[in-house]
């Protein structure tokens, strides 16, 4: 597979997944939206016909006739008279253009009830929290993993392996709850949730305040995941360290640090990128729930609120948009992999 | 494995510390799951989400575990069921005297009276309770109630008239200002009436800020027969205490120990069910892919890559709306998304085995593909799948817990660790410091995961040929 073929294959794969999720979303959204539109129409007919003083003198049958006419009119107006397949395709088109209609009860902070507005407001906050966490994880994980690999069997190496094993089975969101209990309820060090104090401070303090609120969720995410990342880096690097070119470099007298961060890391980075992709995939659900626990007003909190208040349009919008972002992120990382791994260019993978 | 034999494998397994610890943890969990009906009665499981069941259990609400008394300098009142020390029947009425010896710092959550009686049709009895405190103060007609059913359970906290009387007693000791403040701001609803009964008189009694009043509390119960044929068969006074059991109770008065014990059963069923099914599918899939090769291999690999890159949680959430949320449906959904996990590893193992001489000869004598796979290749891979199963259990348990936590009442109908934590989050257990509601379920999730990781780790070292040195 050459690079072009590799890229096109990845893109097609991503598109298929999006299409698949789109269909499910459209299918569910259609049923839900039609139900709401129908009750809406019935309410309007009640208002316009049965409670209208203009028709007050008419007999029940005449009223029903007018109501039926109105109903047919509204059904045509909202496309409910179209065949089922067409209606579902409409919804698919809606989802594709990020038009998820209006939320039932949730509102954005500016008061908009459009699902897209609500989600777009929450999205940057999620990205802020998780990109920061991921960057810390990558730096900490790769650094510790390399250290451990260059000293197999050392105290650091053994403690990283044990720590990784412990945190592997720890639910990230529950760790978050524990940290809130410990650091904000008992020790009163950090706020228990939210993103900014009320009333919000101004100037530079505004950003300091956000950082202070972000500290605890950040500590939680990093605490639970960096062990796994370090362990993973360690095993990949250990394998690379046994290869001939490392021994050659050593024999030539290249300094240890240079071998480790120059030669070895360069070779080890493609599999590390793959593993990063896989562990981001694995931690997504935990991360969403963790956000909900910390009342961080991003996507995860929105999931929690939408589910507990039964706001279907928001749930559907969230499912589609998270899948979209997720598939997009995986695609980007896959392409990075393609650029990093020389074998992809030559076409041996 | 064929070199070691079964006994050898077991002996090797226990040579690793992780094997021993993991096995011990696993046995503990399996024990909980199997003996759940003995540890916590079955109705707890079936009625976990039935509020009427829990209101009949006379448990304190939001009570910490009993053993907290050994660690805290403030002693919590414990549960006591009292019989009358004195009873006297006159032609018109019964007189019962209960003595409650209060030697604690934090008063009981509630006091119940259980009366078992025979009442003539359309007739009633009248019950009056006077309370004499150790300091000699009296609350007259603490309870003033009609009894019209053969069995009644009266909760002092649910009687509005009694609560008014209790606060009336307490407010008499407060300053004019406090009294006005409390009534104007409607604070009485958030104050605990038990603090008033069990605190010494003085300013601050309605907030429970005065010293606890220790000693003998006498409850004088008079039940007027009204109809001479009415009879009281039995009367009991239940002091719920403010601590309960091994793990305490939640805000609805549910016994958390019961929930955690029964939750282990669901967690193990889901974890093992998903792990075994998805590993089996993954192993067969990977083997077929490797053995058949060619375009079939190519297609199967693409399908696997497709499934593995679908985000599980959003899809699971949306599916929960479509399918009815039972444990079996959840297992089914999780299997759909987790079978691709072991495929790559198995495929590369099968690729090596495919080239072995005995497989080639089996092929040469014309055995069918299916027969070669099931009789010659799979048996070689199977031992290693034990480790794979162990490794994929934690993921399944974590996902289940996460989904239950997020979905709450829309998730599985049974009580799971994730759902207990969902309730805790809904009642903001963390912000009110109810650690006993939050720590045990999560710790169980972590322990269950750890047990399987440790076992898997040891199995992997024993069974995986690539790791044997």
């Amino acid at each position: 597979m050459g690079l072009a073929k590799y890229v096109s294959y990845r893109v097609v794969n991503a598109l298929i997944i999006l299409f698949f999720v789109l269909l499910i979303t459209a299918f569910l959204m259609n049923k839900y939206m039609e139900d709401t539109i129908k009750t809406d129409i019935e309410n309007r007919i009640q208002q316009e016909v049965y409670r209208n003083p203009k028709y007050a003198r008419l007999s029940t049958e005449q009223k029903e006739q007018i109501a039926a006419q109105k109903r047919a009119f509204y059904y045509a107006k909202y496309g409910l008279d179209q065949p089922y397949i067409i209606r579902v395709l409409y919804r698919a088109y809606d989802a594709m253009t990020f038009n998820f209609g209006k939320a039932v009860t949730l509102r954005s902070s500016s008061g908009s009830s459009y699902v897209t507005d609500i989600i777009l407001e929450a999205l940057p906050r999620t990205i802020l929290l998780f990109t920061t966490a991921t960057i810390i994880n990558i730096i900490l994980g790769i650094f510790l993993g390399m250290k451990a690999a260059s000293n197999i069997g050392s105290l650091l190496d053994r403690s990283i392996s044990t720590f990784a094993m412990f945190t592997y089975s720890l639910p990230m969101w529950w760790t978050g709850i524990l940290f809130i209990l410990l650091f904000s309820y008992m020790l009163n060090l950090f706020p228990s949730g939210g993103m900014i104090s009320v009333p919000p401070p101004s100037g530079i303090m505004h950003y300091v305040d956000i950082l202070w609120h972000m500290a605890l969720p950040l500590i939680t995410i990093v605490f639970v995941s960096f062990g796994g990342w370090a362990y993973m880096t360690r095993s990949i690097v250990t394998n690379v360290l046994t290869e001939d070119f490392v021994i050659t470099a050593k024999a030539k007298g290249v300094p240890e640090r240079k071998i480790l961060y120059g030669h070895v890391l360069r070779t080890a980075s493609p599999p590390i990128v793959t593993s990063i992709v896989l562990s981001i995939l694995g931690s997504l659900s935990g991360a969403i729930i963790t956000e909900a626990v910390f009342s961080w007003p991003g996507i995860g909190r929105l999931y929690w609120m939408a589910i507990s208040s039964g706001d279907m349009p928001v749930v559907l919008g969230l499912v589609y948009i998270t899948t979209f972002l997720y598939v997009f992120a995986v695609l980007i990382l896959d392409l990075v992999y393609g650029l990093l791994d020389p074998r992809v260019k030559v076409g041996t993978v | 494995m064929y070199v070691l034999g079964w006994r050898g494998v077991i002996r090797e397994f226990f040579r690793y510390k992780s094997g021993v610890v993991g096995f011990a943890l696993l046995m503990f969990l399996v024990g909980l799951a199997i003996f759940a009906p003995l540890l916590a009665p079955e109705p707890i499981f079936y009625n976990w989400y039935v509020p009427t069941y829990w209101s009949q259990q006379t448990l304190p609400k939001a009570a910490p575990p009993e053993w907290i008394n050994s660690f805290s300098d403030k002693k919590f009142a414990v549960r006591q069921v009292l019989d009358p020390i004195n009873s006297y029947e006159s032609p018109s009425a019964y007189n019962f005297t209960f003595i409650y010896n209060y030697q604690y710092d934090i008063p009981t959550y509630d006091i119940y009276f259980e009366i078992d009686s025979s009442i003539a049709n359309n007739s009633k009895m009248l019950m009056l309770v006077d309370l004499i405190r150790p300091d000699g103060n009296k609350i007259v007609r603490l309870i003033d109630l009609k009894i019209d059913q053969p069995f009644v359970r009266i909760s002092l906290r649910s009687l509005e008239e009694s609560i008014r009387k209790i606060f009336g007693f307490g407010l008499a000791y407060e300053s004019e200002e406090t009294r006005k403040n409390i009534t104007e701001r409607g604070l009485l609803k958030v104050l605990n009436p038990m603090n008033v009964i069990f605190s010494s008189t003085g300013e601050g009694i309605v907030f429970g800020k005065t010293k606890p009043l220790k000693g003998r509390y006498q409850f004088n119960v008079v039940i007027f027969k009204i109809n001479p044929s009415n009879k009281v068969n039995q009367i009991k006074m239940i002091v719920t205490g403010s601590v309960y059991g091994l793990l305490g109770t939640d805000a609805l008065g549910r016994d958390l120990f019961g929930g955690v014990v029964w939750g282990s059963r669901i967690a193990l069923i889901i974890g093992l069910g998903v792990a075994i099914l998805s590993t089996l599918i993954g192993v067969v899939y990977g083997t077929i892919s490797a053995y058949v090769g060619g375009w079939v291999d190519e297609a199967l690999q693409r399908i696997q890559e497709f499934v593995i890159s679908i985000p599980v949680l959003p899809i699971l959430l949306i599916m929960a709306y479509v399918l009815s949320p039972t444990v079996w449906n959840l297992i089914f959904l999780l299997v759909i998304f987790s079978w691709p996990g072991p495929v790559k590893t198995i495929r590369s193992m099968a690729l090596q085995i495919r080239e072995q001489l005995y497989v080639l000869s089996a092929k040469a004598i014309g055995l069918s593909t299916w027969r070669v796979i099931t009789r010659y290749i799979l048996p070689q891979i199977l031992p290693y799948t034990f480790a794979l199963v162990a490794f994929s259990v934690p993921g399944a348990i974590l996902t289940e817990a996460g989904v239950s936590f997020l979905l709450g009442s829309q998730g599985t109908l049974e009580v799971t660790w994730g759902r207990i934590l969902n309730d805790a989050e809904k009642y903001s257990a963390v912000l009110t410091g109810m650690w006993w509601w939050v720590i045990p379920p999560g710790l169980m999730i972590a322990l269950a995961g750890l047990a399987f990781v440790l076992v898997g780790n040891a199995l992997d070292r024993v069974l995986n040929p690539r790791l044997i040195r």
Side-chain angles (χ1 to χ4, degrees):
Chain A
M1 239 198 283
L3 190 59
K5 204 178 159 195
Y6 175 83
V7 169
S8 53
Y9 164 67
R10 291 293 163 187
V11 172
V12 168
N13 197 27
L15 287 178
I16 294 176
I17 294 177
L18 280 184
F19 183 71
F20 173 68
V21 179
L22 184 72
L23 273 188
I24 302 180
T25 320
F27 170 73
L28 284 171
M29 214 160 77
N30 184 57
K31 183 188 174 311
Y32 185 79
M33 282 190 135
E34 283 182 1
D35 287 350
T36 29
I37 293 176
K38 275 181 190 161
T39 39
D40 210 42
I41 290 176
E42 289 310 312
N43 284 341
R44 252 192 252 180
I45 289 174
Q46 278 290 331
Q47 278 292 334
E48 288 174 10
V49 182
Y50 293 99
R51 294 197 197 131
N52 193 340
K54 215 166 85 187
Y55 300 126
R57 293 209 190 127
L58 298 181
S59 71
T60 326
E61 278 138 47
Q62 279 170 314
K63 277 185 192 170
E64 261 165 29
Q65 222 170 5
I66 297 172
Q69 276 172 9
K70 291 244 177 202
R71 194 172 291 128
F73 168 73
Y74 282 126
Y75 272 37
K77 188 179 168 192
Y78 291 105
L80 291 179
D81 54 347
Q82 307 274 342
Y84 184 73
I85 298 289
I86 304 277
R87 271 149 41 206
V88 173
L89 284 180
Y90 269 141
R91 298 295 162 243
Y93 178 76
D94 278 349
M96 220 149 58
T97 52
F98 297 117
N99 173 19
F100 301 102
K102 285 183 174 184
V104 182
T105 50
L106 295 172
R107 297 285 177 270
S108 76
S109 59
S110 58
S112 165
S113 64
Y114 284 98
V115 173
T116 321
D117 288 349
I118 299 174
I119 295 178
L120 283 185
E121 186 187 48
L123 197 57
R125 299 161 181 168
T126 300
I127 293 177
L128 171 71
L129 180 60
F130 287 104
T131 354
T132 321
T134 311
I135 291 170
I136 298 179
N137 265 335
I138 289 177
I139 297 172
L140 209 61
I142 291 184
F143 176 73
L144 286 175
M146 303 277 278
K147 272 256 181 278
S150 57
N151 272 312
I152 296 264
S154 66
L155 181 67
L156 177 80
D157 179 35
R158 274 178 293 141
S159 28
I160 283 179
S161 307
T162 320
F163 185 75
M165 206 142 68
F166 270 102
T167 48
Y168 178 73
S169 45
L170 218 52
M172 190 193 276
W173 45 277
W174 177 71
T175 316
I177 298 181
L178 270 196
F179 280 4
I180 296 176
L181 197 65
L182 185 68
F183 291 113
S184 77
Y185 179 78
M186 290 179 181
L187 302 176
N188 220 345
L189 283 177
F190 293 106
S192 65
M195 191 170 91
I196 199 144
S197 311
V198 184
S202 57
I204 185 85
M205 286 313 287
H206 185 88
Y207 298 100
V208 175
D209 194 55
I210 292 182
L211 270 183
W212 186 52
H213 278 79
M214 202 163 87
L216 207 51
L218 215 54
I219 293 174
T220 308
I221 300 172
V222 171
F223 176 83
V224 176
S225 19
F226 87 88
W229 294 47
Y231 186 73
M232 181 182 81
T233 313
R234 172 202 177 269
S235 3
I236 293 169
V237 170
T238 326
N239 276 335
V240 178
L241 275 175
T242 56
E243 300 220 9
D244 293 341
F245 75 90
V246 179
I247 300 169
T248 315
K250 269 185 191 163
K252 272 167 61 184
V254 182
E256 191 82 11
R257 274 177 71 89
K258 210 172 167 194
I259 297 180
L260 210 54
Y261 291 98
H263 302 64
V264 175
L265 191 56
R266 177 75 181 87
T267 323
S269 46
I272 290 180
V273 170
T274 321
S275 313
I276 287 177
V277 176
L278 285 178
S279 57
I280 289 180
L281 298 186
S283 68
L284 179 87
S285 46
I288 286 180
I289 309 171
T290 308
E291 212 185 54
V293 165
F294 281 101
S295 310
W296 183 260
I299 295 292
R301 186 69 191 168
L302 205 54
Y303 261 112
W304 172 270
M305 281 171 15
I307 289 170
S308 46
S309 63
D311 208 326
M312 256 317 251
V314 180
V315 175
L316 290 170
L318 280 172
V319 166
Y320 186 67
I321 287 187
T322 12
T323 316
F324 182 83
L325 284 176
Y326 174 87
V327 171
F328 188 70
V330 172
L331 181 65
I332 299 278
L333 283 167
D334 268 344
L335 297 184
V336 170
Y337 177 87
L339 291 176
L340 279 176
D341 193 341
R343 288 174 300 177
V344 173
K345 266 182 231 158
V346 204
T348 46
V349 173
Chain B
M1 145 130 213
Y2 292 96
V3 189
L4 293 169
W6 277 110
R7 271 190 211 154
V9 167
I10 292 169
R11 198 176 53 234
E12 280 289 303
F13 178 85
F14 285 110
R15 265 188 44 212
Y16 293 101
K17 228 185 277 167
S18 69
V20 178
V21 178
F23 185 76
L25 274 177
L26 195 61
M27 282 302 106
F28 166 69
L29 282 167
V30 170
L32 275 191
I34 291 177
F35 296 114
L38 298 179
L39 294 165
E42 232 162 308
I44 288 185
F45 177 66
Y46 293 114
N47 296 308
W48 190 258
Y49 294 101
V50 184
T52 46
Y53 171 81
W54 289 101
S55 61
Q56 285 163 17
Q57 301 304 305
T58 68
L59 302 189
K61 285 180 184 166
E66 249 167 43
W67 44 263
I68 196 176
N69 270 342
S70 337
F71 297 98
S72 151
D73 356 313
K74 287 201 167 181
K75 301 295 173 215
F76 290 76
V78 295
R79 182 184 181 81
Q80 273 176 327
V81 179
L82 303 170
D83 290 318
I85 52 152
N86 222 331
S87 56
Y88 166 74
E89 188 183 350
S90 72
S92 66
Y94 288 96
N95 283 285
F96 300 103
T97 311
F98 291 93
I99 297 285
Y100 172 51
N101 191 2
Y102 178 72
Q103 295 297 344
Y104 311 94
D105 303 295
I106 299 182
T108 170
Y109 176 80
D110 200 355
I111 293 171
Y112 285 89
F113 285 98
E114 269 185 11
I115 300 140
D116 188 359
S117 53
S118 325
I119 300 183
N121 272 347
N122 292 326
S123 148
K124 278 171 192 143
M125 292 195 287
L126 185 65
M127 175 179 176
L128 295 179
V129 179
D130 292 348
L131 166 65
I132 305 171
R133 296 173 15 129
D135 58 3
N137 283 316
K138 273 189 192 175
I139 302 180
V140 182
R141 297 211 176 167
L142 178 67
I143 296 178
D144 180 343
L145 201 72
K146 289 188 182 86
I147 297 171
D148 51 6
Q149 270 158 359
F151 181 80
V152 282
R153 186 183 287 118
I154 300 156
S155 145
L156 183 58
R157 261 192 119 135
S158 67
L159 298 174
E160 272 177 41
E161 189 60 35
S162 307
I163 290 185
R164 212 171 5 225
K165 229 163 240 171
I166 295 168
F167 280 119
F169 169 79
L171 281 175
Y173 297 96
E174 299 291 351
S175 69
E176 187 64 39
E177 204 182 330
T178 330
R179 222 178 302 169
K180 225 171 105 187
N181 209 350
I182 287 176
T183 34
E184 265 172 19
R185 286 162 67 188
L187 281 178
L188 283 187
K189 275 194 184 123
V190 294
L191 292 173
N192 181 355
M194 294 299 153
N195 278 336
V196 181
I197 297 184
F198 294 102
S199 295
S200 46
T201 55
E203 222 168 287
I205 181 173
V206 288
F207 305 103
K209 279 182 185 154
T210 54
K211 271 192 183 163
L213 180 66
K214 299 182 181 178
R216 286 153 51 97
Y217 285 75
Q218 188 175 333
F219 291 82
N220 291 334
V221 181
V222 183
I223 299 179
F224 293 101
K225 289 183 187 169
I226 300 185
N227 186 332
S229 64
N230 286 347
K231 249 176 67 183
V232 173
N233 303 325
Q234 207 192 7
I235 179 165
K236 267 194 293 189
M237 178 174 138
I238 300 169
V239 182
T240 63
S242 45
V243 282
Y244 185 81
L246 259 181
L247 296 180
T249 62
D250 65 11
L252 299 178
R254 294 181 289 211
D255 178 9
L256 285 167
F257 177 73
V260 167
V261 165
W262 282 97
S264 67
R265 200 177 258 210
I266 305 283
L268 281 188
I269 289 176
I270 291 181
L272 280 173
V274 172
I276 292 173
L277 282 177
S278 60
T279 309
L280 271 184
I281 295 174
V283 165
V284 173
Y285 189 97
T287 315
I288 291 176
S289 177
Y291 182 75
V292 179
W295 68 270
V296 176
D297 182 34
E298 188 72 17
L300 289 182
Q301 287 312 299
R302 293 296 91 85
I303 294 174
Q304 185 260 350
E305 277 163 24
F306 170 70
V307 179
I308 211 169
S309 50
I310 297 176
V312 181
L313 187 79
I315 303 291
L316 268 184
L317 290 181
I318 210 162
M319 292 290 202
Y321 281 97
V322 187
L323 294 170
S324 65
T326 60
V327 166
W328 307 113
N329 278 342
L330 193 60
I331 292 180
F332 171 72
L333 286 175
L334 285 172
V335 168
I336 287 184
F337 291 109
S338 47
W339 64 264
V343 166
K344 291 264 167 185
T345 329
I346 295 298
R347 179 171 166 272
S348 64
M349 284 175 113
L351 277 178
Q352 283 172 12
I353 298 173
R354 189 180 72 167
E355 302 305 323
Q356 302 269 321
L357 209 53
Y358 74 95
V359 177
L360 292 178
S361 14
K363 226 166 148 184
I365 58 170
L367 290 185
S368 69
T369 307
W370 183 244
R371 205 176 158 85
V372 175
I373 289 178
T374 51
R375 297 288 171 86
Y376 293 80
I377 299 182
L378 278 184
Q380 284 290 313
I381 296 175
L382 225 48
Y384 182 59
T385 58
F386 287 110
L388 283 180
V389 168
F391 277 131
S392 55
V393 173
I397 290 181
L398 278 187
T399 315
E400 180 272 321
V403 169
S404 301
F405 177 73
L406 212 50
L407 283 178
S409 51
Q410 271 142 359
T412 53
L413 303 168
E414 289 83 357
V415 46
T416 64
W417 295 330
R419 270 198 82 175
I420 296 179
L421 287 169
N422 173 283
D423 286 333
E425 185 73 8
K426 279 201 178 132
Y427 287 90
S428 25
V430 173
L431 300 182
T432 47
M434 292 167 68
W435 50 267
W436 60 90
W437 193 355
V438 173
I439 294 179
L443 200 61
M444 291 304 283
I445 299 173
L447 279 185
L450 187 65
F452 283 99
V453 173
L454 290 172
V455 167
N457 207 329
L459 276 179
D460 195 27
R461 287 197 217 174
V462 178
L463 296 174
N464 190 347
R466 282 177 304 177
L467 291 177
I468 293 175
R469 261 162 265 161

